[in-house]
Amino acid sequence: MDNDMMMRGLSPYETFMISEKQGRRTNGVGITGLVLGSVGAAAAIGAWIFAPIYANSRAKAAQDIAAAQNAGTANLLNNVASLLAAERQERVAGDLNITTTINDSVSGSQQGSINAQIENSAMAQATTQLLTQSLLGNLSENAQKVQIYSAPQPCGCPCGS
């Protein structure tokens, strides 16, 4: 290139200055690198600034979902408990009505079911107490507790001792 410029009639100084200025001129690679570097730096700064906000919003959303699920589960459990309580009350009321109707039909009088319940409870309590005492040996005729004794038996070993 230098020879080409000298042939045009340029001095070595002018040739040097032209090549120096052409070397300093920006090209597409430098501009592309500058743009990509700026975009990358902006993205990194944006991520650094907005990442905690995004993470907090995700955590808050997860917390809201968990709270909604817990509220739904609590509501379901309350509904089931109230239905079970209502069903039990209906069953107990129905049993009392049936018992009263049977007793009235058999005896021909208007007896309340409360007396029958008291009698049944007392009989069940007495039966339980007698059964427990008989199993524990509290109803035996011995005044002193007796333990079953078994005499020592000879061992079945070959030496015979």
Side-chain angles (χ1 to χ4, degrees):
M1 181 176 209
D2 291 336
N3 291 336
D4 188 34
M5 286 186 194
M6 289 182 124
M7 292 175 93
R8 290 189 186 167
L10 298 176
S11 69
Y13 176 75
E14 291 172 335
T15 306
F16 174 75
M17 288 303 293
I18 290 173
S19 64
E20 179 71 21
K21 287 183 182 181
Q22 284 180 347
R24 289 187 181 181
R25 200 170 47 176
T26 58
N27 57 14
V29 175
I31 292 173
T32 305
L34 180 66
V35 169
L36 290 179
S38 300
V39 169
I45 290 171
W48 181 62
I49 291 172
F50 293 110
I53 295 170
Y54 179 72
N56 287 341
S57 67
R58 290 286 305 247
K60 178 76 170 119
Q63 186 179 14
D64 290 344
I65 290 171
Q69 288 175 344
N70 287 342
T73 303
N75 189 17
L76 178 67
L77 289 176
N78 287 336
N79 288 343
V80 169
S82 65
L83 288 174
L84 286 175
E87 190 231 341
R88 183 182 182 283
Q89 288 175 352
E90 290 174 7
R91 196 171 1 101
V92 169
D95 290 347
L96 291 177
N97 290 339
I98 291 173
T99 304
T100 303
T101 305
I102 292 173
N103 287 340
D104 291 345
S105 300
V106 171
S107 67
S109 66
Q110 297 292 326
Q111 295 178 1
S113 63
I114 296 175
N115 290 335
Q117 287 178 351
I118 292 172
E119 290 173 6
N120 288 340
S121 174
M123 182 60 86
Q125 190 176 13
T127 304
T128 304
Q129 185 177 6
L130 286 172
L131 181 62
T132 304
Q133 288 178 354
S134 66
L135 289 174
L136 294 176
N138 293 340
L139 297 178
S140 68
E141 297 178 5
N142 296 330
Q144 185 177 7
K145 299 282 184 194
V146 177
Q147 187 174 11
I148 297 174
Y149 174 75
S150 174
Q153 303 292 323
C155 86
C157 58
C159 66
S161 52

